[in-house]
Amino acid sequence: QVQLVESGGGLVQAGGSLRLSCTASGRTFSSYAMGWFRQAPGKEREFVAAISWSGGSTYYADSVKGRFTISRDNAKNTVYLQMNSLKPEDTAVYCCAAAWEATERGDGYDYWGQGTQVTVSS
């Protein structure tokens, strides 16, 4: 069992930055690939970014490529999402998730956090 807790969300103006953190407890964090997903009101959940267990491979949705960076620190059991040049359309609840293999598919993830709200004002 893996427990995931996100933090770092908040309200920011367009063009600003936020860094989300997701800290894991339970089974060995470094065994899992990690992903970030988001869901805006009235919309389906969408993939944002993923990172392999070693951190050697990263994957991004086209909508965030070049603006967001996913990273991890296995010694701290934490995965990060650095978000720069934020846009109002980035407003959503952001959730982290753990899987055996990095994937863009939400159904590929076994454990999910509760999420943190990110609001970008125009």
Side-chain angles (χ1 to χ4, degrees):
Q1 192 78 354
V2 176
Q3 293 81 40
L4 303 172
V5 179
E6 302 94 338
S7 61
L11 174 64
V12 64
Q13 288 189 332
S17 298
L18 281 174
R19 189 176 80 156
L20 305 184
S21 299
C22 170
T23 301
S25 60
R27 302 180 76 177
T28 307
F29 172 76
S30 60
S31 300
Y32 291 92
M34 298 296 296
W36 284 98
F37 291 77
R38 67 187 182 186
Q39 187 166 19
K43 295 188 176 181
E44 293 188 354
R45 181 179 63 196
E46 66 171 342
F47 169 77
V48 176
I51 188 167
S52 62
W53 66 270
S54 67
S57 298
T58 56
Y59 311 88
Y60 297 95
D62 288 343
S63 59
V64 306
K65 203 170 292 183
R67 300 189 298 123
F68 290 12
T69 302
I70 188 171
S71 62
R72 67 189 297 161
D73 185 339
N74 286 343
K76 295 183 178 180
N77 283 6
T78 301
V79 62
Y80 304 99
L81 186 68
Q82 178 67 44
M83 305 186 295
N84 299 330
S85 302
L86 283 161
K87 305 174 181 180
E89 51 263 44
D90 294 318
T91 295
V93 174
Y94 285 70
C95 294
C96 65
W100 286 114
E101 186 173 356
T103 176
E104 297 183 8
R105 295 172 55 106
D107 60 7
Y109 289 80
D110 299 308
Y111 304 102
W112 292 82
Q114 292 298 310
T116 185
Q117 176 70 45
V118 171
T119 303
V120 184
S121 62
S122 56

